[in-house]
Amino acid sequence: MKIAVTSASGKLGAEIVQNLINEIGKENVIGIARTTKKAEHLGVEIREGDYNNRAQFDLALKGVDAVLLVSGMDDPQKRIQQHRNVIEAAKANGVKKIVYTSIIGAEENTAFSPIVQSNRQTEEDVKASGLDWVIGRNGIYIEPDLEYLENYATEGEIRNCAGDGLCGYTSRAELGYAYAQMLLKEEHNQQTYNLAGEAITQTQLAELINAVYGTHLTYNAVSVSAYEAERKAALGDFIGSVIAGIYEGIKIGAQHVPSDYEKAAGRAHKSHVEIIKAFKKREL
Ligand SMILES: NC(=O)c1ccc[n+]([C@@H]2O[C@H](COP(=O)([O-])OP(=O)(O)OC[C@H]3O[C@@H](n4cnc5c(N)ncnc54)[C@H](OP(=O)(O)O)[C@@H]3O)[C@@H](O)[C@H]2O)c1
């Protein structure tokens, strides 16, 4: 059984590759990457695959039994065709199963919604492929908040527009474990899973970070428009409005959904304290 993982040069793709190596050995795992040299450290066969290039995927998917498609990073409208290039190449080259990393989120009314909608379209395309399929809808990763900790510590606060909204944060490592199981076990075929951890507020997130790192962060809620203006000034219009849209989604409850993590992974999701501690240890 040969399993290929796209975007293996990225952090999520790499986590999935590493979990698959643990399960089936490196000789049975193939990493596909646009920038192949960024994936070489994984120690598995690496093949070239840019989502814009269907011909590369026709080669990359030769002899592959199952493929994990990591959602792209491009403009939402471009992503749909990029993902179709992989799905079509999988169909044409005898791949039997496709697993897609989709996302939890508000389908309407936030600046993040066009991205959620493009993920929903790919879900439909995957289901219509005629292959066995599994869809994971990822919760928000907790790592970016930890990578941003120095800035939070300087400001003494976490500030955004999520208000009291609950968010079922997850981590790339937890997702990597679950996706390996979803690829390997037939019982998951034709299932869509919400992959999220315990739902917490931003105040609870600040408290958890304080407990592990000894910081003194507080949480301050600001309006969606104020936060959007701030993020656009810091990150540019596109990314700034997307980030504000993600936190607006938390505020309106879109990141508080029942989690199927345990069903997908065959074990409970780790606690946020465990994940933050593991992140801290890795950083040291
Ligand atoms: N749930 C969340 O909180 C969250 C947060 C951020 C992103 N996401 C989504 O999850 C995905 C994976 O996240 P990550 O943490 O692994 O992000 P990451 O570390 O930034 O990696 C992004 C990956 O996408 C690849 N990529 C971009 N454009 C591509 C293209 N045209 N063809 C092939 N590969 C392409 C990059 O390849 P190169 O190495 O060649 O650049 C890289 O491997 C993202 O792409 C995004 O859709 C989710």
Side-chain angles (χ1 to χ4, degrees):
M1 172 100 171
K2 291 259 186 203
I3 300 186
V5 178
T6 71
S7 287
S9 56
K11 294 188 180 114
L12 180 61
E15 286 287 353
I16 298 168
V17 166
Q18 273 148 5
N19 277 280
L20 283 170
I21 293 171
N22 292 342
E23 299 280 347
I24 56 172
K26 65 180 178 190
E27 63 283 4
N28 293 313
V29 184
I30 296 164
I32 302 176
R34 175 176 63 175
T35 314
T36 50
K37 65 176 185 305
K38 279 167 63 186
E40 279 164 7
H41 68 99
L42 293 167
V44 298
E45 180 186 348
I46 301 295
R47 298 180 180 177
E48 210 170 17
D50 181 325
Y51 294 150
N52 293 304
N53 191 330
R54 159 74 198 266
Q56 284 183 348
F57 277 92
D58 279 325
L59 291 176
L61 292 174
K62 289 261 177 300
V64 166
D65 297 293
V67 62
L68 184 296
L69 170 58
V70 173
S71 67
M73 295 284 270
D74 229 317
D75 177 85
Q77 282 316 307
K78 283 196 197 151
R79 288 184 198 198
I80 292 171
Q81 184 54 47
Q82 290 175 335
H83 295 159
R84 282 180 183 158
N85 286 341
V86 181
I87 297 165
E88 292 302 320
K91 280 162 65 176
N93 288 282
V95 175
K96 295 179 202 69
K97 175 167 171 173
I98 183 162
V99 181
Y100 172 56
T101 72
S102 185
I103 192 136
I104 295 169
E107 282 148 29
E108 308 281 347
N109 301 326
T110 77
F112 186 52
S113 298
I115 291 178
V116 178
Q117 282 169 16
S118 79
N119 277 256
R120 296 288 175 268
Q121 180 57 56
T122 298
E123 291 181 14
E124 292 309 312
D125 293 342
V126 163
K127 289 181 191 172
S129 67
L131 308 183
D132 280 331
W133 56 267
V134 193
I135 292 164
R137 291 183 173 174
N138 297 350
I140 304 286
Y141 310 150
I142 206 163
E143 291 97 330
D145 279 291
L146 307 176
E147 286 154 9
Y148 201 68
L149 188 55
E150 237 179 80
N151 298 58
Y152 287 152
T154 303
E155 298 191 339
E157 62 175 9
I158 296 178
R159 182 181 61 254
N160 59 47
C161 61
D164 294 330
L166 286 160
C167 176
Y169 283 101
T170 184
S171 75
R172 294 186 187 96
E174 287 299 270
L175 292 173
Y177 184 83
Y179 278 110
Q181 306 305 315
M182 289 155 67
L183 280 156
L184 290 168
K185 295 193 175 140
E186 279 185 23
E187 70 204 51
H188 300 305
N189 293 357
Q190 276 64 253
Q191 300 292 321
T192 299
Y193 294 132
N194 291 327
L195 300 175
E198 186 195 350
I200 55 171
T201 63
Q202 299 296 298
T203 301
Q204 287 172 300
L205 176 65
E207 287 166 359
L208 289 167
I209 293 174
N210 289 341
V212 176
Y213 280 90
T215 46
H216 302 282
L217 304 177
T218 53
Y219 172 63
N220 285 314
V222 294
S223 70
V224 174
S225 57
Y227 189 60
E228 186 175 44
E230 178 191 318
R231 288 296 86 197
K232 279 183 173 176
L235 303 168
D237 281 3
F238 177 65
I239 298 289
S241 62
V242 167
I243 299 287
I246 290 173
Y247 283 102
E248 184 179 10
I250 297 176
K251 183 187 174 82
I252 64 176
Q255 293 294 336
H256 185 206
V257 295
S259 176
D260 305 305
Y261 184 90
E262 194 158 344
K263 198 171 165 203
R267 67 153 168 81
H269 194 283
K270 287 190 178 154
S271 72
H272 295 314
V273 165
E274 275 178 279
I275 292 170
I276 298 170
K277 280 185 179 164
F279 183 92
K280 185 179 176 208
K281 214 167 156 187
R282 248 199 242 183
E283 290 294 286
L284 290 175

